[in-house]
Amino acid sequence: MQSYADIAAQVAAQIRAGRLAPGDRLPTHRALAAEWGVAIATATRVFAELKRLGLVVGEPGRGSFVRDRSIRLVPPEYGPGPDTVYADLSVTQPLSPRRAELLRTALRDLACAGDLDALLRQQPPGGRPADRAVAAEFLGSRGIDAEADRVFLTAGVQHGLDLVARAALSPGDVVAVDALTYPGFKMLAHAHRLHLAPIPVGPDGPDLDAMEELCLRRRVRAVYTMPTLHNPLGWVLGEQARDRLVRIARANDLILIEDAAYAFLAEPAPAPLVSRAPERTYRLSSLSKSVAAGLRFGLLVTPPSGRATMKHTLRVHMASPPGLVAAVAAGWLADGTVDALEDAARRSAEERQRVLRAELHDMDLIAHPRSYFAWLPIDPQQRMDRVAAELSRRGVRICTAEMFATTPHVRHGVRIAVGSPLAELPAALAAVRDALDAVPLG
């Protein structure tokens, strides 16, 4: 009789080979036990092992299904090698089966109460007033005092950044950015024909002396910044640096674009820029990292002088979250679900950082202790593309510095995300170590 581990390994091999496709329903525990000639208790352990590996998701009352791992497959240009472990260290959000049940409950509640027809109509620019009021109250609990008519609902941070570029910036404007910054803003700047002016960064934040010098040399219009948990370097800008950044912005009449996508992980943190300089700050956050990436629900706070233009921009582009999404998200903001999920996310990030530190204990990792990622500097003589290719052949994805760089001379390093299932992390991180050893210098 085969053990549960043997059976789980064979089913896992079928999933990884594609013979069991994403969304396929697996046999019941009783049927699997009969198929393999084992006890039901053994079949239960098989399913538990498959869930631990991140290959299967169970849905109460419906059964177990093969999880969609399409974002975690080896890129087609590289074939899997003998050491393949199949892990995506570019994903910055852990998966949580609990969220599916929360969504199921929320949809049932919506079906039993409220005006469902209203959710199927075109939504007002920036969302319904009631949902925006809930969002403003939620932000208020985070120390951000913003009237509801300054809070606009978006389809995530990237959508919000696009709206800010359309409403507050013009082609040719110069935007100061960190030398390593969020790749999505780089793409957006290119699309809107904005000129990015890189600012050197250190272990604690941007070089503000260099920013002041830049403002003397060029006509800078805005600063794009991630002061609370920077991606990819993980720092949290201190009180004095935030105050100085605000002084520079006021002295040079700069717009501040505050990306707070990961800020919830670093709580408590110094007061955000929008609270220090509300007259010139656009602050963006979302539920993508704390709740679910597929929810596509974000919060954009505008300066008082920018709300009319933002409303017009939203009306032109007919862009607001669908009513159903907004209703679910607003309900979770109001009933404490988001608070609970953010707290769980912080604990999960701490655990993942401990695994990361244990596996790569002798490497010079740069990371916040409650972050979904870490920055790993690599030898300047070691080509990053070769490291990435070697890892891909081993079934592991990472992000290299080119994705984040805004300077011609690219800082040598890679970002390692820890969003993969915990059971996969040790093997994936061991693959990182092995790949670095395997790629020669020069």
Side-chain angles (χ1 to χ4, degrees), residues 178-218:
D178 298 321
L180 292 172
T181 195
Y182 168 50
F185 189 75
K186 289 173 56 182
M187 293 188 291
L188 185 144
H190 177 76
H192 287 280
R193 292 180 289 166
L194 305 173
H195 296 299
L196 298 184
I199 302 297
V201 290
D204 301 315
D207 184 338
L208 297 181
D209 289 337
M211 185 175 293
E212 285 192 312
E213 292 173 6
L214 172 67
C215 292
L216 293 175
R217 290 186 286 106
R218 302 183 67 180

Side-chain angles (χ1 to χ4, degrees), residues 258-271:
E258 182 178 20
D259 185 338
Y262 295 98
F264 71 96
L265 288 169
E267 294 294 336

Side-chain angles (χ1 to χ4, degrees), residues 81-261:
D83 300 321
T84 296
V85 293
Y86 293 99
D88 194 338
L89 299 184
S90 69
V91 175
T92 58
Q93 183 201 25
L95 299 169
S96 171
R98 181 186 171 209
R99 292 164 188 169
E101 187 56 36
L102 287 171
L103 177 60
R104 189 172 287 108
T105 300
L107 293 175
R108 281 198 295 263
D109 291 346
L110 280 177
C112 296
D115 183 2
L116 285 180
D117 187 59
L119 302 181
L120 299 177
R121 299 180 187 135
Q122 181 176 311
Q123 303 299 291
R128 297 184 301 172
D131 294 336
R132 293 170 69 184
V134 168
E137 185 174 352
F138 174 81
L139 291 171
S141 71
R142 301 298 197 265
I144 299 171
D145 185 15
E147 304 86 354
D149 64 352
R150 288 174 50 211
V151 179
F152 294 86
L153 309 185
T154 70
V157 167
Q158 186 71 11
H159 174 220
L161 289 171
D162 182 70
L163 291 170
V164 173
R166 295 177 186 276
L169 302 174
S170 302
D173 279 349
V174 176
V175 181
V177 295
D178 298 321
L180 292 172
T181 195
Y182 168 50
F185 189 75
K186 289 173 56 182
M187 293 188 291
L188 185 144
H190 177 76
H192 287 280
R193 292 180 289 166
L194 305 173
H195 296 299
L196 298 184
I199 302 297
V201 290
D204 301 315
D207 184 338
L208 297 181
D209 289 337
M211 185 175 293
E212 285 192 312
E213 292 173 6
L214 172 67
C215 292
L216 293 175
R217 290 186 286 106
R218 302 183 67 180
R219 187 175 180 181
V220 180
R221 177 62 178 139
V223 179
Y224 169 74
T225 181
M226 295 170 278
T228 307
L229 217 160
H230 181 274
N231 177 20
L233 297 177
W235 41 253
V236 174
L237 205 59
E239 294 276 6
Q240 293 183 350
R242 292 178 191 232
D243 288 341
R244 186 180 176 192
L245 178 55
V246 166
R247 289 197 299 270
I248 293 172
R250 285 175 172 153
N252 296 278
D253 195 23
L254 307 179
I255 293 170
L256 292 172
I257 305 171
E258 182 178 20
D259 185 338

Side-chain angles (χ1 to χ4, degrees), residues 13 143 248 275 280 296 331 335 338 359:
I248 293 172
S275 297
R280 64 185 61 252
R296 307 315 308 158
D335 68 10
V338 172
E359 295 295 330

